[in-house]
Amino acid sequence: MSELFIVKVLLGTIFLFSGAIKLMNIKSFEKTLKSLDLGKRITKFVAFFIPLFELATFMVLFIPGYTIMGSIFIYVLLICFSYAIWKAKYKKIKCNCFGSLTDEELGFNTIIKLSVLFIMNCILMAGNILGKSIPAIVSVQEYVFAFIFSFLVIVLYSLCSLIILYKKSAV
């Protein structure tokens, strides 16, 4: 199993999970967008567009020969998220990256998360451009392992986030 395959599955799983959580709690995501003062029409549109685009990104990443397009989709999402951080400066706005699973605010920690996603996406894009392709045939066991690994990374991140929140509230 190649490192590029693991990066691809991890990125895909993050956007699958993020998009699905936002769609399941669209009102909470919409509330975050309203806090960014985007305007009523734009807020309604973006509340559906971003989660659907995240899910589309997941799907495109796994269509053979379309990994570079999936990477471009990720760059578009990262630009949108960066704009949200910029709009949120000097405000306390709930991040809603993973819906209500984590209780974080848009800010420095969000910038770090986006930077990590950016670096991972650069690795995936560079690997594909340089011809270090992901094997066309990957066993079911490798997919299952990679998705479980990716899911565990998200769960670990969420647990760490909850622990930090608990420690802050205990002080």
Side-chain angles (χ1 to χ4, degrees):
M1 183 174 352
S2 76
E3 296 83 8
L4 276 181
F5 176 71
I6 292 173
V7 169
K8 178 176 158 175
V9 172
L10 183 55
L11 282 169
T13 305
I14 287 168
F15 286 105
L16 170 68
F17 193 72
S18 176
I21 292 279
K22 285 176 185 139
L23 281 177
M24 286 191 283
N25 196 357
I26 197 82
K27 292 295 180 193
S28 176
F29 185 53
E30 196 173 316
K31 183 178 176 184
T32 295
L33 294 172
K34 282 180 186 173
S35 302
L36 295 173
D37 300 323
L38 299 175
K40 190 173 184 175
R41 279 184 167 168
I42 293 174
T43 297
K44 289 273 186 197
F45 172 74
V46 171
F48 284 101
F49 176 77
I50 293 291
L52 292 176
F53 198 71
E54 287 177 319
L55 295 174
T57 298
F58 164 77
M59 289 187 274
V60 170
L61 277 173
F62 292 97
I63 298 173
Y66 285 86
T67 301
I68 291 175
M69 183 178 282
S71 283
I72 292 169
F73 281 19
I74 291 171
Y75 287 129
V76 169
L77 285 166
L78 293 177
I79 289 168
C80 293
F81 300 153
S82 297
Y83 178 73
I85 294 168
W86 179 77
K87 288 285 286 180
K89 66 182 177 193
Y90 311 118
K91 298 178 185 176
K92 289 189 175 231
I93 298 176
K94 188 177 184 308
C95 177
N96 224 317
C97 295
F98 292 113
S100 56
L101 188 63
T102 60
D103 191 24
E104 301 170 315
E105 292 178 358
L106 288 170
F108 185 73
N109 288 341
T110 316
I111 292 170
I112 292 172
K113 286 188 285 190
L114 293 184
S115 299
V116 170
L117 291 174
F118 178 79
I119 291 167
M120 289 172 61
N121 198 39
C122 286
I123 291 168
L124 183 61
M125 178 76 91
N128 278 278
I129 289 172
L130 295 173
K132 296 188 179 209
S133 63
I134 297 165
I137 300 172
V138 179
S139 72
V140 172
Q141 292 89 348
E142 288 175 317
Y143 268 110
V144 169
F145 171 78
F147 278 114
I148 289 172
F149 172 77
S150 300
F151 181 74
L152 290 176
V153 167
I154 294 169
V155 168
L156 183 63
Y157 169 79
S158 299
L159 287 174
C160 289
S161 178
L162 288 172
I163 290 168
I164 291 168
L165 181 67
Y166 174 76
K167 284 187 174 191
K168 282 182 182 178
S169 66
V171 173

